[in-house]
Amino acid sequence: MDELNNSSSSMPLVSVLIPAHNAMPDLQRCISSLLDQPYPNIEIVIVDDGSTDNTKEYLLSLKEEKIRFISIQNMGVSTARNIAIDLALGCFITFVDADDIVVPSFVEDALRFSIKNKLDIAIGGLTKVYRSKRIAFGVPIKSKMEQIFIGDAIESVISTTIAYSSKNNSFLSSFFLSGSVCKLIRRDVIGAIRFNQNLSIGEDTLFNVELLNNCTRIGLLAHNWYEYIIHADSAVGSYKPDALDRAELLISELFKATKVENRQFVYIRAVREFEGACLTSYAHKFSVDIFHLVKDIKTTLRSPFWATLFSFPNNWVSLIVEKRYKILASLCCGGHFILIACYLLIIRLLRNLK
């Protein structure tokens, strides 16, 4: 702990990595929250991913030695994060999205927690902010404030990261594990691991799974370090004709990165991805005759990838925590195409009512 009590020159350098694409004016607020950190030895590395607003001009106007930035052509968030990793000089790394903010104690709390417990990754909670609503993720059950996972116990964190939920550990399931934020990572754990630039969904989940495979000690702390801002114009469900192809690629990559004993959780994740992909790839068809929707669902589920995934044996269905996904998995495994169409129509309606 003395590492944090000496002069700033002897303190560990923490690199905060921010990919930014047309994020103004949110980027200003994000940077302000980082400059307000009392921990002095941080660098803020920003990759301007082909912004067409005044991001570059704003960054050029900053006279702050803690900030370094580079402008590239628009290549996507994964490429921007990978470039930021390559540029980072710190022995600890954390990712922050340009339109979010961190609490003032974030870096210091995460670093103290990490050093005290000799962690490869320290994970905190976050607060989702949507208009006037604030929903906290990371509040423990009862009075438990932290949990350390060592060696084989990390497999439970990996399974939760893949599946988005945990059946036997309510503390673990309280944390937003699949995203790239709310984590302080030792640089040597990252090594050559990078975000998969071929993925447009779930790239952060895959990155985290590959990281966790390298870890021997990780810790969860019930402090909400991060405010995840949900904008009114970022609603899920817009039409994406290739959504099912994207989901298929993500699940395939997760299978490759996951040990055999954890592959059942990839199946669980696949159900969630299947629902989301159907809702977006069929978005323009929900107003037409239901039999057209049933025909498309039948075609999808009879394709080699999805037919194999939902074939028997499917004992993994019993491990699904959320009832809605358990219902959907059972319908898909049973080939109940009309009921799947009805299910999707109901979910679509409920989303529109929010």
Side-chain angles (χ1 to χ4, degrees):
M1 295 299 288
D2 290 338
E3 286 184 74
L4 300 188
N5 297 324
N6 297 329
S7 65
S8 62
S9 61
S10 63
M11 293 179 175
L13 177 64
V14 176
S15 296
V16 182
L17 311 187
I18 306 175
H21 176 71
N22 292 344
M24 296 294 290
D26 295 325
L27 179 60
Q28 293 174 283
R29 183 182 56 181
C30 175
I31 291 175
S32 293
S33 75
L34 291 165
L35 294 177
D36 285 343
Q37 300 291 307
Y39 185 76
N41 203 21
I42 69 171
E43 64 164 2
I44 303 169
V45 180
I46 303 167
V47 177
D48 172 22
D49 184 30
S51 296
T52 55
D53 60 6
N54 61 331
T55 294
K56 184 175 181 179
E57 290 74 17
Y58 165 68
L59 293 172
L60 285 170
S61 72
L62 295 176
K63 308 300 179 183
E64 173 56 61
E65 62 180 15
K66 292 180 179 179
I67 296 176
R68 293 190 291 128
F69 84 93
I70 183 173
S71 292
I72 62 172
Q73 64 181 13
N74 183 218
M75 300 177 70
V77 66
S78 291
T79 299
R81 285 182 179 142
N82 290 341
I83 291 173
I85 293 171
D86 293 337
L87 292 173
L89 301 176
C91 53
F92 289 89
I93 283 176
T94 187
F95 297 97
V96 175
D97 289 342
D99 52 354
D100 299 332
I101 61 175
V102 297
V103 302
S105 63
F106 165 50
V107 174
E108 190 166 89
D109 281 355
L111 196 53
R112 285 185 182 277
F113 181 54
S114 182
I115 291 173
K116 173 187 173 183
N117 296 288
K118 298 180 173 62
L119 302 178
D120 296 313
I121 305 177
I123 305 170
L126 60 76
T127 300
K128 286 188 177 181
V129 181
Y130 179 67
R131 294 177 178 170
S132 60
K133 295 180 181 178
R134 298 176 63 86
I135 304 173
F137 291 78
V139 179
I141 305 302
K142 298 180 180 178
S143 59
K144 200 168 191 177
M145 293 303 295
E146 64 181 53
Q147 193 163 353
I148 308 299
F149 295 82
I150 302 172
D152 291 343
I154 294 175
E155 295 301 319
S156 64
V157 184
I158 294 174
S159 63
T160 301
T161 300
I162 296 169
Y164 260 96
S165 60
S166 171
K167 192 168 187 176
N168 300 314
N169 191 322
S170 54
F171 182 85
L172 185 60
S173 62
S174 297
F175 286 80
F176 186 68
L177 294 173
S178 288
S180 58
V181 301
C182 297
K183 300 169 182 68
L184 187 70
I185 308 164
R186 286 191 178 273
R187 175 60 184 266
D188 55 3
V189 174
I190 296 178
I193 297 172
R194 295 295 184 269
F195 290 89
N196 188 319
Q197 295 170 192
N198 294 320
L199 293 177
S200 56
I201 59 168
E203 70 285 344
D204 40 10
T205 298
L206 180 62
F207 180 82
N208 289 342
V209 170
E210 292 176 336
L211 277 186
L212 290 167
N213 284 333
N214 275 358
C215 292
T216 57
R217 295 177 66 92
I218 68 167
L220 310 182
L221 184 65
H223 288 182
N224 281 25
W225 290 329
Y226 195 96
E227 294 202 353
Y228 179 74
I229 312 299
I230 302 174
H231 296 283
D233 60 354
S234 62
V236 177
S238 58
Y239 176 51
K240 297 183 180 70
D242 62 344
L244 283 159
D245 292 335
R246 296 182 186 187
E248 181 177 330
L249 179 58
L250 169 62
I251 299 306
S252 298
E253 292 297 328
L254 283 174
F255 271 121
K256 293 177 187 176
T258 304
K259 296 178 182 178
V260 173
E261 58 268 29
N262 278 329
R263 297 236 171 111
Q264 57 194 340
F265 298 103
V266 181
Y267 283 94
I268 295 172
R269 176 60 174 268
V271 178
R272 181 187 291 265
E273 297 298 333
F274 177 77
E275 181 197 271
C278 286
L279 289 172
T280 53
S281 64
Y282 301 152
H284 64 306
K285 299 181 180 180
F286 283 108
S287 60
V288 301
D289 192 301
I290 189 172
F291 291 106
H292 286 84
L293 183 58
V294 171
K295 182 180 178 181
D296 286 333
I297 292 169
K298 186 182 295 186
T299 300
T300 297
L301 287 177
R302 287 180 173 174
S303 66
F305 178 83
W306 296 104
T308 301
L309 191 140
F310 287 118
S311 64
F312 290 96
N314 47 46
N315 53 332
W316 51 269
V317 174
S318 63
L319 298 174
I320 301 176
V321 176
E322 299 92 335
K323 289 183 179 178
R324 65 186 266 197
Y325 295 120
K326 185 172 289 189
I327 291 171
L328 179 58
S330 299
L331 294 177
C332 289
C333 291
H336 302 295
F337 306 120
I338 295 176
L339 292 177
I340 294 168
C342 293
Y343 171 97
L344 293 172
L345 287 168
I346 291 170
I347 296 299
R348 178 77 173 180
L349 175 64
L350 292 175
R351 282 190 176 186
N352 290 338
L353 289 176
K354 288 184 178 180

